[in-house]
Amino acid sequence: SSSSSSSSSSSSTVDNNILYTPQSNDISEEHPLRVLIAGAGVGGLALAKSLSKIPTMHVTVLERTEQFKRFGGPIQLASNAMQILKEMDADVYDSITSKFTVTGDKRNGIKDGIRDEWYAEFDLASPAVDRSMPFTGVIDRPDLQQIYLDALPDGMVQNGNGVVSYTQDDADDGGRVSVTLDNGRIVEGDVLIGADGIWSAVRANMRDEPLKGEGSGVAYSGYTVFAGELKYDSFDHGKVGYKVYIGPGQYFVITDIGNGNYQWYAFLARPPGSAETETKPDGGSNVKYLSAIFEGWSKDIHHILTATKEHEIAQRDLYDR
């Protein structure tokens, strides 16, 4: 369950399911600015880590998920992002590098899907070397999230109730923010930051827009994506970081994610909900379905598809904001 952030120098009172800690108008270590962050994804956790170093701030992260599970694939961190992470927190950076797979010192780029020729290569190494920055690479999103969770003080992340909505007092009344959680409980703070993803309840409340659907600001990208992750003995292991095979209405990505693991993505131009409406062979075989769609394309695509088991594949529609 969630609790409000509160100053240790003042007592909390509960009235009609509202948890409220009286605060002084002066911000100090005794009366810190109460910062509420909606969402414990990578963005919210990274922000919480930085703000937690400021003694005049008391940070609480409000997360809907009851318990964190390993979910999501690798995330690429470019050289400039790695440099910023290094400057933000050396310990967090060291933990990231311990789980990191460098791709920026290898061949990366776009290939013609059918002719299997390099169309364009991206020089990721020279800019990093010239600016004395770390190389680009990838890390599993769950690993990155766990690194930040381990780096935060105990109790800062409150699981089990996400932010549903909020109200804000007038500035003359202190501008206090009252946040309503999933279970109806209200948590009060001085600042609320929405880091609750593409379907952000904070954003919807702030802009008076629906959370989803028409008018929400979220639009279907026009693509559905199949993602596979597996142990894979690639012929170009250690030489190529990622390859993007392009063609009309579809493209295929293969990327080295470290420790003998690879991930691939097949992007197809399809209407939303195609996973339910499009028939697949042999009772729903994604491998055979994609093999037929990419017939005549690079043998590398078919080799990794054949090596992938059905339970290693997931499909989802892509939305943009």
Side-chain angles (χ1 to χ4, degrees):
S1 64
S2 297
S3 64
S4 75
S5 51
S6 60
S7 169
S8 59
S9 62
S10 53
S11 60
S12 298
T13 60
V14 180
D15 181 22
N16 294 330
N17 209 34
I18 298 176
L19 188 57
Y20 168 54
T21 304
Q23 295 288 303
S24 165
N25 288 330
D26 296 324
I27 299 172
S28 64
E29 291 190 38
E30 291 73 28
H31 300 285
L33 187 74
R34 300 168 299 166
V35 179
L36 305 177
I37 299 175
V42 172
L45 295 176
L47 175 62
K49 176 58 178 172
S50 292
L51 296 184
S52 69
K53 300 177 183 180
I54 303 173
T56 55
M57 290 190 182
H58 189 292
V59 181
T60 302
V61 182
L62 303 169
E63 168 58 35
R64 176 167 286 112
T65 303
E66 287 277 359
Q67 186 174 0
F68 293 108
K69 300 177 182 178
R70 289 193 66 85
F71 177 78
I75 179 172
Q76 177 175 286
L77 298 176
S79 292
N80 54 349
M82 288 294 287
Q83 183 64 33
I84 291 171
L85 288 170
K86 187 176 183 179
E87 294 174 4
M88 286 172 61
D89 193 294
D91 291 336
V92 167
Y93 174 80
D94 288 342
S95 297
I96 290 173
T97 57
S98 71
K99 299 280 189 177
F100 200 61
T101 298
V102 172
T103 57
D105 59 347
K106 302 173 180 66
R107 296 183 79 182
N108 300 278
I110 300 173
K111 301 188 79 172
D112 185 294
I114 297 174
R115 291 198 297 266
D116 200 13
E117 299 172 352
W118 286 99
Y119 178 74
E121 293 191 53
F122 306 138
D123 179 10
L124 304 180
S126 296
V129 172
D130 292 345
R131 295 167 177 80
S132 299
M133 295 192 301
F135 284 126
T136 293
V138 295
I139 183 173
D140 271 356
R141 189 180 298 270
D143 287 338
L144 183 58
Q145 185 180 40
Q146 191 61 52
I147 286 169
Y148 274 110
L149 286 169
D150 292 342
L152 292 176
D154 291 342
M156 182 169 289
V157 178
Q158 303 291 323
N159 288 81
N161 281 294
V163 172
V164 175
S165 62
Y166 72 90
T167 59
Q168 185 173 14
D169 293 345
D170 293 335
D172 292 342
D173 296 325
R176 186 173 61 238
V177 180
S178 299
V179 174
T180 302
L181 304 181
D182 287 317
N183 64 353
R185 193 178 190 183
I186 295 176
V187 179
E188 294 191 341
D190 302 301
V191 177
L192 170 63
I193 300 169
D196 47 345
I198 190 171
W199 313 106
S200 170
V202 174
R203 181 193 290 109
N205 199 125
M206 180 180 294
R207 299 184 178 181
D208 193 23
E209 296 174 345
L211 187 63
K212 295 184 178 182
E214 185 176 354
S216 67
V218 178
Y220 181 57
S221 68
Y223 281 86
T224 189
V225 62
F226 294 78
E229 185 174 336
L230 67 154
K231 285 283 186 182
Y232 182 59
D233 184 16
S234 179
F235 74 95
D236 56 9
H237 176 70
K239 299 176 182 177
V240 175
Y242 66 81
K243 303 169 284 189
V244 182
Y245 298 88
I246 62 171
Q250 59 196 52
Y251 58 105
F252 199 99
V253 181
I254 301 175
T255 181
D256 181 359
I257 59 174
N259 300 315
N261 296 312
Y262 275 75
Q263 186 158 55
W264 57 260
Y265 303 94
F267 296 85
L268 309 179
R270 296 289 189 276
S274 63
E276 289 75 35
T277 60
E278 200 159 356
T279 303
K280 296 171 185 173
D282 292 350
S285 171
N286 288 313
V287 171
K288 292 185 177 180
Y289 172 75
L290 293 171
S291 296
I293 286 176
F294 286 94
E295 184 178 359
W297 284 51
S298 168
K299 65 181 185 303
D300 299 346
I301 294 174
H302 293 278
H303 193 273
I304 198 168
L305 280 174
T306 302
T308 309
K309 297 178 175 62
E310 291 293 337
H311 73 269
E312 296 172 327
I313 304 173
Q315 181 185 0
R316 67 182 184 275
D317 290 341
L318 299 178
Y319 288 83
D320 293 328
R321 176 175 288 280

